[in-house]
Amino acid sequence: MTKNQGQRTKNSLIAGLIGSAIAFVEPVFALEVRVNPENPQLGDTISVWMEVDNPNQPPTVMFEGESIPIFPSNTSNWYRALIPTTPLDNPGRVTLQVTGDGETRNFALGLRDRAFSTQRITVAGGGSNATELELSRVADFKTTMTPEKFWNGPFLRPTRGRVSTVFGVRRYYNGVFAQDYYHRGVDYAASRGTPIVAPAAGRVVLVGRESQGFRLHGNTVGLDHGQGVLSIFLHLHQIDVREGDFVAAGQRLGTVGATGASTGPHLHWGLYVLGEAVDPVPWRFQGID
Ligand SMILES: [Zn+2]
């Protein structure tokens, strides 16, 4: 063995010792965090999974400085938080802070921008046709938060018919860009009377009727899928459920109609996470747990 080879052997031995020392030390950093998708785009729902050593001390999650509710999962020591993003968010770097097992970890995610199509609407006069009653009942509905998780796997398509307006479309009203508007759901064009089914299990927590003042939304059903995940269905013809009913995925809720402010029969399905309308597409196809 030459002197150089001897030196290399010694160096690699030291490197090996350092490597194993690091590997040995690593379990001390017990908090494990997984973020999905790692590379989200506007409208995505971000899931954050966290494993802690001590399940009696749940972790906490802050996203862009706001506290996000967390829920225990079915896997012991693992918790999960869901974070909504919308077309109104600023794309770019966003920060996530997770605290657990006496440790705080900071993450930076790149929230990708996305091109949303636009519609140009000409309206005569101004103001919404909505009544105070429907606005307050829908606002209350959006704050629903129950700890149980009722959904399981990808969401079902709620009705037949083609998608006539996708999620996130932005609008110009009389040539002026509407800063706060985006299409908060997916529209399916289907003929009046086409069945509507629950895309996932949940409890019926809102039934509103045009005859009671739902002038804008029309006949409306709101479902609570648990853990801050909600579906709202608008412009129904017939409603087949009552508040308090628990429905399975695929169970009939009513039929497509054109009640409320609707130019033709269609279903508007809005999917909300923590009160924000998110893109239902990842929920329909990948599924979000
Ligand atoms: Zn719509």
Side-chain angles (χ1 to χ4, degrees), residues 159-215:
T159 190
R160 296 194 299 272
R162 70 182 174 88
V163 171
S164 52
T165 308
V166 297
F167 169 84
V169 171
R170 307 299 300 265
R171 278 183 178 173
Y172 291 83
Y173 287 102
N174 301 336
V176 180
F177 186 67
Q179 294 291 344
D180 296 335
Y181 177 87
Y182 66 96
H183 187 231
R184 287 169 163 80
V186 178
D187 289 348
Y188 298 90
S191 51
R192 181 179 280 113
T194 305
I196 297 167
V197 300
R203 190 166 308 280
V204 178
V205 290
L206 173 67
V207 170
R209 293 178 195 276
E210 192 174 34
S211 59
Q212 299 163 337
F214 276 58
R215 217 156 54 191

Side-chain angles (χ1 to χ4, degrees), residues 5-280:
Q5 279 171 330
Q7 190 62 42
R8 272 203 298 276
T9 306
K10 198 174 158 194
N11 285 348
S12 60
L13 183 65
I14 291 166
L17 283 172
I18 292 169
S20 56
I22 288 167
F24 182 73
V25 165
E26 203 161 7
V28 171
F29 302 104
L31 176 65
E32 185 169 344
V33 179
R34 290 181 198 165
V35 179
N36 189 40
E38 289 176 342
N39 183 13
Q41 64 174 356
L42 296 179
D44 277 352
T45 304
I46 302 170
S47 17
V48 182
W49 285 83
M50 295 151 285
E51 188 190 28
V52 292
D53 270 355
N54 181 356
N56 299 321
Q57 290 188 332
T60 60
V61 175
M62 301 283 281
F63 181 74
E64 292 286 274
E66 273 187 53
S67 175
I68 304 290
I70 60 142
F71 299 96
S73 79
N74 292 331
T75 313
S76 67
N77 292 26
W78 282 91
Y79 287 82
R80 200 261 293 113
L82 292 178
I83 302 169
T85 72
T86 80
L88 306 185
D89 290 332
N90 293 318
R93 187 177 180 277
V94 288
T95 59
L96 179 70
Q97 190 178 70
V98 181
T99 301
D101 287 336
E103 181 191 349
T104 294
R105 292 179 61 186
N106 292 290
F107 301 86
L109 301 177
L111 183 57
R112 282 181 295 134
D113 202 358
R114 180 175 164 188
F116 294 101
S117 57
T118 55
Q119 292 174 337
R120 292 180 174 272
I121 309 282
T122 305
V123 287
S128 152
N129 195 31
T131 64
E132 287 301 321
L133 171 98
E134 65 186 312
L135 293 179
S136 74
R137 290 205 55 209
V138 170
D140 282 351
F141 164 72
K142 288 177 189 169
T143 65
T144 307
M145 172 69 77
T146 46
E148 298 89 342
K149 175 178 178 281
F150 301 130
W151 80 92
N152 207 345
F155 278 39
L156 305 175
R157 182 186 237 279
T159 190
R160 296 194 299 272
R162 70 182 174 88
V163 171
S164 52
T165 308
V166 297
F167 169 84
V169 171
R170 307 299 300 265
R171 278 183 178 173
Y172 291 83
Y173 287 102
N174 301 336
V176 180
F177 186 67
Q179 294 291 344
D180 296 335
Y181 177 87
Y182 66 96
H183 187 231
R184 287 169 163 80
V186 178
D187 289 348
Y188 298 90
S191 51
R192 181 179 280 113
T194 305
I196 297 167
V197 300
R203 190 166 308 280
V204 178
V205 290
L206 173 67
V207 170
R209 293 178 195 276
E210 192 174 34
S211 59
Q212 299 163 337
F214 276 58
R215 217 156 54 191
L216 176 71
H217 298 83
N219 293 338
T220 298
V221 172
L223 279 187
D224 174 15
H225 303 297
Q227 300 186 349
V229 180
L230 311 170
S231 282
I232 195 164
F233 305 92
L234 308 183
H235 312 303
L236 273 62
H237 176 57
Q238 190 181 319
I239 295 176
D240 298 334
V241 289
R242 293 186 200 168
E243 283 182 17
D245 287 354
F246 189 86
V247 293
Q251 193 173 326
R252 182 176 161 127
L253 303 175
T255 62
V256 173
T259 55
S262 172
T263 50
H266 75 282
L267 171 67
H268 172 101
W269 169 36
L271 181 64
Y272 286 78
V273 173
L274 306 183
E276 304 286 351
V278 296
D279 190 349

